[in-house]
Amino acid sequence: MSACHRCGAQLVVGSKFCSQCGATVSGTEMKATQPSSKTSLIKWIVGGALVIAFVALFSTYLRVLLREYHPVIEEQPEIVVPIQYGLETKTPSTTITVKVVENSIVIPVEVLKQYRLVRFTDPEGILTTPMIAYFTPEGKIVTAMSLSENCRSTDFYLQGHNIHCASCPSYWNMSSLEAYACCQRYYPDPIPSTIVENTIRIDLTVVRKWHPRS
């Protein structure tokens, strides 16, 4: 709002006379009280852009929040009984020796049940990057490359419902692999596996074709 040229009182928009002193409001003063159409348009554009950005960010957040499984983990087999992880309990990886049967790495399900997080390497030494296996809290079997490509760590541990890098602050949800600290791209990369006669089988052909994402 503009002020009266005579007494300085605030003028009411659209008034022809000052309500305090009765002075005639000039055309210049009348014009000053009206916001320009250009200014209004800019405000609408900025406001609309902010709304669109908020909706896009909120939609992305909801997709992350509501996603239960990483796409590879979604297709993984599961055991009958869900695994109970204490929120404060830290489960380090246990290094085990695995064998190859019919071109597949073989891990006994009972061994994974015992240790909950196991770490192993290609028995024939062709692939040097280690691998891990664990159960999600819902009972899904996860087999993945044991590599955090951001800090190059090859070891992890479980705590609560998350899998943590053993060398940096990065950690991810065990089921969805959504990041809670950083490194959204560089969670342990899941590799498909199956269950055959109470053993977990990982196809060596698939494993040896794996390449780092960075």
Side-chain angles (χ1 to χ4, degrees):
M1 296 178 67
S2 60
C4 175
H5 67 278
R6 178 184 293 174
C7 68
Q10 292 295 316
L11 297 173
V12 177
V13 176
S15 297
K16 295 183 179 181
F17 303 96
C18 175
S19 59
Q20 296 297 318
C21 68
T24 301
V25 176
S26 68
T28 302
E29 290 169 325
M30 287 282 289
K31 185 176 181 180
T33 64
Q34 303 294 329
S36 70
S37 58
K38 184 177 180 180
T39 301
S40 298
L41 179 60
I42 292 173
K43 288 181 178 179
W44 275 104
I45 292 173
V46 172
L50 290 174
V51 169
I52 292 171
F54 174 79
V55 170
L57 288 173
F58 187 67
S59 298
T60 301
Y61 171 75
L62 282 181
R63 285 197 300 271
V64 169
L65 184 66
L66 298 177
R67 191 174 88 177
E68 295 182 0
Y69 295 108
H70 180 279
V72 173
I73 298 176
E74 176 73 44
E75 302 302 320
Q76 284 292 103
E78 60 186 54
I79 60 174
V80 175
V81 182
I83 303 297
Q84 299 298 321
Y85 290 101
L87 292 179
E88 302 301 324
T89 303
K90 181 178 178 179
T91 304
S93 67
T94 298
T95 301
I96 64 171
T97 300
V98 295
K99 60 182 181 179
V100 174
V101 176
E102 298 176 349
N103 201 45
S104 293
I105 293 176
V106 176
I107 308 165
V109 171
E110 292 304 316
V111 170
L112 187 53
K113 283 184 179 179
Q114 178 183 356
Y115 296 115
R116 299 194 174 190
L117 175 63
V118 297
R119 185 170 174 267
F120 50 93
T121 56
D122 180 350
E124 297 175 355
I126 296 175
L127 179 71
T128 57
T129 304
M131 290 162 276
I132 55 173
Y134 65 86
F135 292 112
T136 70
E138 302 84 3
K140 287 276 191 181
I141 293 171
V142 178
T143 47
M145 305 309 296
S146 187
L147 177 64
S148 177
E149 294 170 56
N150 182 57
C151 69
R152 314 309 295 181
S153 172
T154 59
D155 197 13
F156 298 86
Y157 65 89
L158 305 179
Q159 189 167 16
H161 288 180
N162 303 313
I163 181 165
H164 295 248
C165 176
S167 300
C168 76
S170 302
Y171 66 105
W172 307 263
N173 180 273
M174 276 195 274
S175 303
S176 68
L177 295 180
E178 293 297 343
Y180 292 122
C182 60
C183 306
Q184 178 62 69
R185 279 188 65 194
Y186 300 128
Y187 47 75
D189 199 10
I191 300 295
S193 55
T194 58
I195 291 182
V196 179
E197 297 178 351
N198 208 34
T199 61
I200 301 165
R201 306 283 180 107
I202 308 171
D203 189 335
L204 268 174
T205 303
V206 174
V207 170
R208 288 171 182 167
K209 287 181 178 178
W210 179 83
H211 295 285
R213 293 160 292 184
S214 60

